[in-house]
C-alpha cells in the first residue's frame, strides 16, 4: 500500500490507525450475500419487480454514547434532546441530572458544598428556585412554602426530599408512570439508569452516616440537614470521587424532587 | 422459453395470486440465504420447449414411468409419444427416483440419446433434462453415463439440441464433486469454449454456455481445479466479448458472462491473469456506460443483475496488483459509481455498498483519483449517502478517509464540501464502526486543515467529543480524548447555547475543594482515570473550559442568566455556565 503525502498521520504517538487500504472480497464473503441471493432468485425465476417492493435501505440510528445508556434515536434532534435532558447537567457527586445548569448549580451548592452548610446556619441561603425571584430562605421548608404560596407551585409538586423521608414516601410515589421523565416539568430531575435506592436501603443508611472531611458537618437539629433544594439525596451507589454527603439527614418532611420520574426514566432507559 | 428480454418477474406462475407468489418468494429467499451460509447455494434452470408448460404432473406417475419404460424397451412405432409422456412424468421427483432405480432405464435413455433418430434424440434429451432438475445426489449420479454424449453435441449444429445439452450439463454440475470431476476429465471446458466460439451468433446458446460455466465456477474448489483450466482455454476473452448487451436479445447473455468473470476474479490466480488482459478496462467501460444510463434515468429491469458482477470484478481486480491500474479510466468510473450507488440504493442497498467498496479500492492508492473525486465535486454526493447503514456509511467513510489522507489541500477541499457537519452526525450514530471511522476521518481532517478544526468546534464538536469519551469502546474513547487534548482549539467562551454573555470566568482558586461539576453517568467512583470509562475529564476543565462551579468561599453569586432581573447578590453576575461545556 502506498503511503500518502502526509506521512505522520496515525503516527506512533497518536491512537489513530487509519490507512487507506484496498480490500479484496472472496466469493463467499458475507458482503456478497445479497447479490448472490438476487442472482439465484433470478435463476430460479423468482425475480421481483422493483416497483412491487418496498424500499429496502435502512438508515443508521443515532445512539447515546454514554456507556450504560442504551437509547437509540432516529434523528440528531432526538439524540440532542435526550442528551441535553439527561446527561448534560449531571452532578458527579451523586449522579443526578438536572434540566438546567442553574438547578445543577443550586444542587451542588446546597448539597455538596461545605461552606453552604456553615453559612446556612446564620444566613438565608436557600434560594428560590424560580429564576429571577432572587429571594432566599433560612430553611428549605421556608423555600418550599414560598414556592407554593407565592409562585403557586402545587403542594404535591415534586420538591426535593431528604433521605429518610424519601424512603418512606417513596412507595406511594414510585408508581407514578412518570412518562414525562424526559420532558421534565418544573424542576424534576432524573436519576440515571442503574440507580435504584429502593434496592439498596442499607447502603443509603451507610451513606448517611459517613462523614468525610474537610469541614465538620454540623450535626444538628432542625433544618440544617441536607438541603431540600434541588435534589433528593444521592443515590444508593457509591458517589463519585469519594465525596459523600457530609450531613446528617434529620430534616423535616419535604417532598422529593422527581423520584417518580426517576422510576419512569429508569424503566425507559432499560427498555430495549 | 425464459429469455431475459424482459425480466421474468412479470410472469406470475399460473394458479397463484400475486400475494401468494410474493409470499413464496420471501420464503424461498430465506431458504437460499440459509443455503448460502452453508455453501450449498445451488440453482438449476428448466428449459421449456415451446409446447410445454411448467406444471408438474400428478404424483401417481411412478407406475406410469415403469410402464412407459417397458413400452420403450419394446421396439415399436410409438416411441415419440411414450418419450413425451415420460419426460412429463419425470418432472415429478418421486417418479425420478423410480426411474433411476428401474433396471436399464438409463441405459435405454442413453441409447436413444446416441441413436440415429434425431427426434428421439431430442426427446430423450428432454427426459434427461428433467432428471437433471433433481437435487438428489443419486439421481444426478445416475445421469453420468449420458454426459459424454452431451458434451459431444455441444459442437453439433442443432442449436436447440445444444442449448438443451448445455442446461442439462449446467444443472448436473453443482452439488456433486464426482460429476464435476468426470465432466472436467471429459473435457467440458474446451467443449464450452468451442461451443461459444462456433455458435457466437446464437445468443441463446451463448447465454447457455455462460450459465453452465458459472455453475462450474461456483464450486467450492473451483479456484484450484477449474479456474486455471478456464483461464488457459481462452474463454475469458470470449466472455468479455459478450459483455455488451444486445438491444434485441436483452441482457441475459451479458449477465451470465459477467457472473463468470466475477467468479474468476474472486480467486487470486484469476485476478492476476485477468488484470493483464483487458478485463478491468472492459468491465469499467461497461460500468461507465451503465452509470451514465442510470443518471439519465434509464434503468432497465434486471440491470442490477449485470451491474453486480461487473462491480465485483472491478473491485477485486483493483484490490491487488500495482496501483494505478485504472489509468485515466478511473476518472470516468468515479461519477458512474456514485450514480449507480444512488440509483440502486432504495431497491438494492447491498449494491450501493459494493459501489462504495469499488470507490474505496479506486481511491485507496491513488492520489490522482482522490483529487479527481474532489475536483468532480462528488464528495457532497457521497456525504448524502452517509446516513445509510448496512455497511454503506462505513465504506464511504473509508473513501473519505482515503481522500483526507492525501494532502492538506484535500482536507480543506473536504471541509469546503461540507464534511464537518456530516461527521458531527456520524459521530452520533449507534454503530461503533461508524463512530470509530468518523473519529479517524475527523483526526485527519482537523490535522490537515485548521479551519475544519474551528468549524468543528463551532458546531459544538467539543461537547460531542466529550460525550464520545464516555462510550463503551476503549479505542473510541481514546481517540476522542486525543482529539480533545491535542487537535482542537478551545471553544470560544462566547458560544453558549442559550445565553449571549461575553465575559469569561475567573478561574476558581478553590477548585480543588469543590466537586467537579458534571460527569455523565457511568463514571466509576474513582477520581483518576484508569483508562476505563469515564471519569470527570479534569483535563478538559483545565485546558478548555471555565470552571462550572465555584465554592462559596469566593462568594460567588448564584448564576443568573444575563438579562434576568437583578438578584440580591452582587451585580456582576457571571452568566450561567455554558451548558455545552458540560
Amino acid at each position: 500500500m502506498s503511503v500518502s503525502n502526509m506521512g505522520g498521520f496515525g503516527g506512533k504517538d497518536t491512537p489513530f490507525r487509519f490507512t487507506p487500504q484496498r480490500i479484496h472480497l472472496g466469493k463467499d464473503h458475507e458482503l456478497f450475500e445479497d447479490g448472490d441471493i438476487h442472482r439465484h432468485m433470478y435463476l430460479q425465476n423468482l425475480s421481483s419487480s422493483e416497483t412491487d417492493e418496498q424500499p429496502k435501505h435502512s438508515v443508521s440510528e443515532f445512539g447515546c454514547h454514554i456507556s450504560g445508556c442504551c437509547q437509540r434515536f432516529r434523528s440528531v434532534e432526538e439524540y440532542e434532546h435526550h442528551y441535553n435532558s439527561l446527561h448534560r447537567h449531571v452532578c458527579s457527586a451523586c449522579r443526578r441530572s438536572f434540566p438546567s445548569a442553574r438547578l445543577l448549580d443550586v444542587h451542588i451548592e446546597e448539597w455538596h458544598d461545605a461552606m453552604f452548610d456553615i453559612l446556612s446556619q446564620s444566613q438565608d441561603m436557600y434560594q428560590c428556585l424560580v429564576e429571577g425571584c432572587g429571594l432566599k430562605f433560612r430553611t428549605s421548608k421556608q423555600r418550599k412554602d414560598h414556592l407554593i404560596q407565592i409562585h403557586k407551585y402545587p403542594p404535591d409538586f415534586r420538591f426535593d426530599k431528604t433521605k429518610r423521608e424519601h424512603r418512606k414516601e417513596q412507595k406511594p410515589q414510585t408508581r407514578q408512570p412518570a412518562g414525562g421523565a424526559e420532558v421534565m416539568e418544573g424542576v424534576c430531575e432524573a436519576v440515571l439508569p442503574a440507580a435504584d435506592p429502593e434496592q439498596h436501603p442499607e447502603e443509603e443508611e451507610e451513606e448517611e452516616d459517613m462523614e468525610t472531611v474537610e469541614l465538620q458537618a454540623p450535626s444538628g437539629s432542625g433544618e440544617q440537614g441536607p438541603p431540600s433544594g434541588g435534589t433528593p439525596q444521592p443515590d444508593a451507589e457509591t458517589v463519585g470521587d469519594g465525596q459523600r454527603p457530609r450531613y446528617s439527614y434529620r430534616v423535616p418532611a419535604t417532598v422529593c424532587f422527581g423520584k417518580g420520574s426517576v422510576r419512569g426514566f429508569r424503566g425507559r432507559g432499560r427498555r430495549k | 422459453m425464459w429469455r431475459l428480454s424482459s425480466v421474468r418477474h412479470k410472469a406470475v406462475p399460473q394458479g397463484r395470486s400475486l400475494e401468494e407468489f410474493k409470499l413464496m418468494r420471501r420464503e424461498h429467499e430465506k431458504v437460499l440465504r440459509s443455503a448460502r451460509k452453508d455453501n450449498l447455494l445451488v440453482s438449476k434452470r428448466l428449459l421449456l420447449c415451446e409446447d410445454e408448460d411448467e406444471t408438474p404432473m400428478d404424483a401417481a406417475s411412478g407406475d406410469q414411468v415403469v410402464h412407459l419404460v417397458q413400452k420403450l424397451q419394446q421396439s415399436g412405432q410409438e416411441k415419440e409419444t411414450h418419450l413425451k409422456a415420460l419426460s412429463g412424468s419425470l418432472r415429478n421427483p418421486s417418479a425420478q427416483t423410480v426411474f433411476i432405480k428401474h433396471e436399464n432405464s438409463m441405459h435405454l435413455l442413453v441409447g436413444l440419446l446416441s441413436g440415429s433418430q434425431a427426434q428421439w434424440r431430442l426427446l430423450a434429451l428432454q427426459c434427461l433434462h428433467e432428471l437433471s432438475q433433481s437435487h438428489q445426489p443419486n439421481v444426478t449420479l445416475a445421469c453420468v453415463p449420458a454426459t459424454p454424449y452431451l458434451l459431444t453435441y455441444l459442437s453439433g449444429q442443432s442449436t436447440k439440441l445444444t442449448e438443451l445439452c448445455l442446461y442439462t450439463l449446467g444443472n448436473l454440475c453443482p452439488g456433486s464433486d464426482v460429476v464435476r470431476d468426470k465432466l472436467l476429465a471429459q473435457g467440458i471446458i474446451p467443449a464450452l469454449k468451442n461451443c461459444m466460439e462456433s455458435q457466437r451468433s446464437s445468443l441463446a446458446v451463448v447465454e447457455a454456455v455462460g450459465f453452465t460455466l458459472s455453475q462450474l465456477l461456483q464450486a467450492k474448489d473451483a479456484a484450484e481445479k477449474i479456474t486455471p483450466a478456464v483461464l488457459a482455454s481462452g474463454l475469458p476473452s470470449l466472455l468479455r466479448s459478450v459483455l455488451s448487451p444486445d438491444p434485441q436479445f436483452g441482457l441475459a447473455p451479458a449477465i451470465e458472462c459477467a457472473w463468470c468473470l466475477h467468479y474468476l476474479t474472486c480467486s487470486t490466480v484469476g485476478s492476476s491473469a485477468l488484470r493483464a488482459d483487458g478485463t478491468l478496462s472492459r468491465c469499467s467501460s461497461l460500468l461507465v456506460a451503465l452509470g451514465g444510463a442510470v443518471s439519465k434515468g434509464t434503468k432497465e429491469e434486471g440491470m442490477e443483475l449485470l451491474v453486480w458482477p461487473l462491480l465485483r470484478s472491478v473491485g477485486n481486480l483493483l484490490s491487488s496488483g500495482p496501483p494505478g491500474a485504472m489509468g485515466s479510466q478511473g476518472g470516468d468510473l468515479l461519477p458512474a459509481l456514485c450514480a449507480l450507488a444512488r440509483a440502486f440504493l432504495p431497491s438494492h442497498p447491498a449494491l450501493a455498498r459494493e459501489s462504495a467498496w469499488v470507490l474505496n479500492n479506486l481511491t485507496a492508492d491513488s492520489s490522482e483519483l482522490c483529487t479527481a473525486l474532489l475536483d468532480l465535486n462528488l464528495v457532497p454526493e457521497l456525504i448524502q449517502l452517509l446516513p445509510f447503514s448496512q455497511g454503506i456509511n462505513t465504506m464511504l467513510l473509508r473513501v473519505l478517509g482515503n481522500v483526507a489522507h492525501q494532502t492538506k489541500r484535500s482536507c480543506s477541499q473536504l471541509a469546503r464540501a461540507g464534511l464537518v457537519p456530516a461527521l458531527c452526525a456520524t459521530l452520533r450514530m449507534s454503530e461503533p464502526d461508524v463512530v470509530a471511522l468518523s473519529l479517524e476521518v475527523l483526526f485527519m481532517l482537523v490535522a490537515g486543515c485548521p479551519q475544519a478544526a474551528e468549524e468543528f468546534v463551532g458546531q459544538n464538536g467539543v461537547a460531542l467529543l466529550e460525550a464520545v469519551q464516555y462510550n463503551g469502546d476503549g479505542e473510541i474513547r481514546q481517540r476522542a480524548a486525543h482529539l480533545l487534548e491535542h487537535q482542537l482549539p478551545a471553544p470560544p467562551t462566547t458560544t453558549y447555547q442559550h445565553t449571549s454573555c461575553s465575559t469569561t470566568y475567573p478561574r476558581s482558586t478553590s477548585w480543588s475543594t469543590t466537586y467537579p461539576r458534571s460527569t455523565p453517568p457511568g463514571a466509576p467512583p474513582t477520581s483518576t482515570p484508569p483508562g476505563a470509562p469515564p471519569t470527570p475529564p479534569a483535563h478538559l476543565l483545565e485546558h478548555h473550559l471555565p470552571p462550572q462551579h465555584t465554592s462559596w468561599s469566593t462568594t460567588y453569586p448564584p448564576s443568573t442568566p444575563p438579562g434576568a432581573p437583578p438578584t440580591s447578590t452582587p451585580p456582576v453576575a457571571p452568566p450561567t455556565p455554558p451548558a455545552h461545556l458540560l
Side-chain angles (χ1 to χ4, degrees):
Chain A
M1 250 144 298
S2 60
V3 178
S4 76
N5 306 348
M6 283 204 77
F9 270 144
K12 294 187 184 64
D13 53 346
T14 76
F16 293 97
R17 295 282 166 265
F18 177 87
T19 48
Q21 257 184 325
R22 293 183 274 169
I23 298 172
H24 177 271
L25 297 174
K27 183 156 62 87
D28 298 315
H29 198 279
E30 59 173 356
L31 268 174
F32 282 163
E33 178 181 327
D34 286 350
D36 286 350
I37 298 303
H38 191 70
R39 150 96 175 140
H40 280 265
M41 294 286 275
Y42 155 71
L43 286 178
Q44 300 189 21
N45 292 334
L46 291 169
S47 296
S48 62
S49 166
E50 271 182 38
T51 52
D52 287 345
E53 303 284 328
Q54 300 295 327
K56 295 189 195 126
H57 55 278
S58 67
V59 172
S60 277
E61 282 186 314
F62 299 95
C64 185
H65 279 290
I66 308 303
S67 174
C69 177
C70 308
Q71 293 272 23
R72 295 279 178 265
F73 316 97
R74 271 165 302 169
S75 70
V76 174
E77 289 71 32
E78 271 182 52
Y79 169 101
E80 288 295 314
H81 176 71
H82 162 86
Y83 185 75
N84 293 340
S85 304
L86 296 164
H87 298 302
R88 243 310 171 55
H89 311 289
V90 176
C91 174
S92 66
C94 57
R95 300 205 296 184
R96 303 259 153 191
S97 84
F98 298 86
S100 74
R102 176 167 182 274
L103 289 165
L104 175 59
D105 273 341
V106 168
H107 160 79
I108 290 176
E109 175 189 320
E110 296 181 4
W111 284 64
H112 303 300
D113 190 332
M115 285 305 296
F116 178 90
D117 190 57
I118 290 172
L119 291 171
S120 65
Q121 296 175 44
S122 52
Q123 296 176 36
D124 292 345
M125 294 292 284
Y126 289 90
Q127 46 181 319
C128 174
L129 299 175
V130 174
E131 281 198 51
C133 173
L135 292 175
K136 294 190 172 196
F137 305 90
R138 187 58 65 93
T139 70
S140 61
K141 180 175 191 315
Q142 286 171 11
R143 171 179 53 201
K144 176 197 163 194
D145 291 340
H146 164 80
L147 284 166
I148 292 170
Q149 282 154 24
I150 305 300
H151 297 294
K152 311 294 181 211
Y153 276 35
D156 59 353
F157 191 76
R158 296 180 196 142
F159 292 101
D160 188 25
K161 193 169 183 163
T162 63
K163 252 193 182 166
R164 289 205 183 106
E165 257 54 39
H166 168 134
R167 262 212 310 286
K168 283 182 208 148
E169 292 192 30
Q170 223 165 36
K171 279 158 195 156
Q173 286 215 357
T174 52
R175 303 298 159 247
Q176 291 172 35
E182 306 238 347
V183 181
M184 284 171 275
E185 305 176 51
V187 288
C188 298
E189 36 87 333
V191 173
L192 302 146
D196 192 346
E198 271 196 326
Q199 292 168 5
H200 307 282
E202 277 95 54
E203 287 181 30
E204 272 191 73
E205 271 296 333
E206 284 164 13
E207 290 223 344
E208 286 186 307
D209 295 340
M210 264 189 281
E211 307 226 336
T212 39
V213 115
E214 286 132 31
L215 298 161
Q216 277 295 323
S219 59
S221 52
E223 311 279 357
Q224 286 169 4
S228 47
T231 56
Q233 286 289 339
D235 226 338
E237 33 274 272
T238 32
V239 174
D241 297 306
Q243 293 140 355
R244 298 180 177 81
R246 309 191 198 117
Y247 315 101
S248 69
Y249 301 113
R250 290 174 293 154
V251 278
T254 48
V255 293
C256 153
F257 258 125
K259 238 11 206 141
S261 72
V262 167
R263 290 282 168 280
F265 173 64
R266 263 204 297 284
R268 281 176 67 125
R270 288 201 184 126
R271 181 199 61 194
K272 278 305 198 159
Chain B
M1 304 294 192
W2 41 268
R3 299 277 172 260
L4 193 68
S5 48
S6 63
V7 173
R8 176 115 184 153
H9 65 275
K10 293 197 165 72
V12 177
Q14 291 153 354
R16 292 176 197 270
S17 68
L18 187 60
E19 277 312 306
E20 278 177 13
F21 182 59
K22 279 187 180 177
L23 186 66
M24 180 191 77
R25 203 168 57 214
R26 274 197 293 275
E27 290 303 314
H28 204 75
E29 189 181 317
K30 284 186 209 160
V31 169
L32 288 182
R33 283 187 192 276
S34 146
R36 185 183 185 273
K37 285 185 172 51
D38 300 330
N39 283 320
L40 294 172
L41 187 54
V42 166
S43 292
K44 299 186 183 242
R45 301 217 80 163
L46 179 65
L47 189 61
L48 293 172
C49 296
E50 291 86 2
D51 52 357
E52 286 181 279
D53 61 43
E54 269 185 79
T55 52
M57 305 287 276
D58 298 334
S61 38
D63 294 334
Q64 197 184 7
V65 163
V66 173
H67 173 74
L68 285 167
V69 169
Q70 284 164 349
K71 287 272 180 180
L72 283 165
Q73 278 164 339
Q74 301 157 9
S75 58
Q77 292 310 305
E78 294 192 344
K79 280 204 165 43
E80 270 188 47
T81 324
H82 296 321
L83 277 170
K84 277 189 187 158
L86 183 60
S87 85
S89 308
L90 285 173
R91 205 160 289 167
N92 184 297
S94 56
Q96 291 166 353
T97 320
V98 168
F99 179 84
I100 61 167
K101 286 195 173 129
H102 188 92
E103 203 181 329
N104 285 334
S105 54
M106 186 54 73
H107 184 78
L108 166 73
L109 213 54
V110 173
L112 289 165
L113 183 67
S114 55
S116 51
Q117 283 274 14
Q119 187 60 1
W120 292 354
R121 226 186 266 170
L122 188 60
L123 292 169
L125 184 52
Q126 275 178 355
C127 294
L128 206 57
H129 186 63
E130 295 294 346
L131 286 169
S132 75
Q133 298 293 309
S134 170
H135 285 269
Q136 307 235 21
N138 51 348
V139 176
T140 313
L141 276 170
C143 296
V144 165
T147 55
Y149 300 99
L150 296 176
L151 288 171
T152 311
Y153 292 142
L154 292 189
S155 51
Q157 293 309 305
S158 159
T159 53
K160 188 165 181 176
L161 200 71
T162 306
E163 233 188 300
L164 206 47
C165 285
L166 283 165
Y167 283 108
T168 307
L169 284 165
N171 290 339
L172 291 174
C173 288
S176 171
D177 293 348
V178 171
V179 172
R180 244 189 336 267
D181 289 343
K182 263 224 162 42
L183 286 171
L184 287 168
Q186 287 166 357
I188 186 171
I189 293 178
L192 287 173
K193 186 248 181 182
N194 291 335
C195 179
M196 196 182 223
E197 223 168 21
S198 62
Q199 309 245 23
R200 183 65 180 77
S201 53
S202 165
L203 288 173
V205 171
V206 168
E207 180 188 347
V209 172
F211 167 73
T212 307
L213 187 60
S214 75
Q215 296 280 82
L216 271 176
L217 286 169
Q218 259 203 282
K220 253 186 295 234
D221 50 3
E224 296 88 39
K225 288 191 188 170
I226 304 179
T227 303
V230 172
L231 293 169
S233 69
L235 269 166
S237 66
L238 286 169
L239 295 172
R240 271 199 300 278
S241 71
V242 180
L243 283 182
S244 304
D246 181 278
Q248 295 288 334
F249 196 84
L251 296 169
I255 290 176
E256 298 307 313
C257 294
W259 281 92
C260 290
L261 285 172
H262 157 54
Y263 296 131
L264 285 169
T265 54
C266 277
S267 71
T268 24
V269 58
S271 193
S272 46
L274 291 176
R275 202 174 302 117
D277 67 354
T279 302
L280 179 57
S281 162
R282 186 85 184 85
C283 293
S284 305
S285 326
L286 200 49
L287 279 174
V288 170
L290 291 167
V294 298
S295 53
K296 292 195 191 81
T298 42
K299 204 163 142 200
E300 271 181 73
E301 294 279 4
M303 189 191 247
E304 73 282 355
L305 289 161
L306 180 56
V307 173
W308 235 313
L310 289 173
L311 281 174
R312 294 175 178 192
S313 302
V314 173
N316 274 331
L317 285 169
L318 287 171
S319 68
S320 51
M326 281 302 300
S328 57
Q329 226 183 348
D332 295 326
L333 192 52
L334 293 171
L337 291 169
C338 294
L340 289 168
R342 212 176 39 246
F344 286 104
L345 177 65
S347 49
H348 303 287
L351 201 153
R353 177 177 67 209
E354 292 182 36
S355 298
W357 163 57
V358 180
L359 275 170
N360 172 72
N361 283 2
L362 275 172
T363 52
D365 278 330
S366 169
S367 52
E368 294 82 21
L369 288 177
C370 287
T371 314
L373 196 74
L374 290 163
D375 293 340
L376 290 168
N377 205 25
L378 293 172
V379 173
E381 270 190 59
L382 297 181
I383 286 177
Q384 278 178 358
L385 296 175
L386 282 175
F388 298 99
S389 59
Q390 300 173 312
I392 293 172
N393 42 20
T394 34
M395 197 57 79
L396 287 173
L397 282 167
R398 287 194 167 277
V399 176
L400 293 166
N402 293 346
V403 178
H405 201 262
Q406 293 293 319
T407 59
K408 289 196 198 302
R409 183 171 165 266
S410 309
C411 292
S412 44
Q413 278 183 287
L414 282 172
R416 274 203 297 280
L419 186 53
V420 172
L423 289 175
C424 289
T426 56
L427 279 168
R428 291 174 168 94
M429 286 178 181
S430 56
E431 292 104 320
D433 291 346
V434 177
V435 175
L437 276 167
S438 305
L439 288 168
E440 298 273 356
V441 176
L442 181 64
F443 168 67
M444 291 186 283
L445 193 63
V446 302
C449 176
Q451 289 80 9
E454 283 168 22
E455 189 187 343
F456 182 71
V457 169
Q459 299 201 353
N460 242 356
V462 170
L464 176 55
L465 286 178
E466 285 170 18
V468 175
Q469 280 195 295
Y470 295 81
N471 190 285
D473 182 309
E475 292 194 354
I476 288 179
R477 290 198 297 275
Q478 233 184 343
R479 285 159 169 74
H482 183 95
L483 278 169
L484 285 166
E485 284 179 63
H486 297 123
Q487 296 297 144
L488 295 176
T493 51
T494 54
T495 50
Y496 300 144
Q497 277 190 344
H498 55 273
T499 62
S500 55
C501 168
S502 58
T503 60
T504 53
Y505 284 143
R507 290 196 177 264
S508 164
T509 53
S510 62
W511 182 246
S512 57
T513 64
T514 59
Y515 305 146
R517 186 188 193 175
S518 56
T519 341
T526 59
S527 55
T528 50
T535 57
H539 63 275
L540 291 181
L541 303 163
E542 285 161 23
H543 298 163
H544 297 288
L545 312 174
Q548 279 83 50
H549 175 70
T550 54
S551 81
W552 286 99
S553 58
T554 61
T555 61
Y556 205 77
S559 37
T560 328
T567 67
S568 57
T569 52
V572 181
T576 318
H580 77 277
L581 296 175
L582 299 171

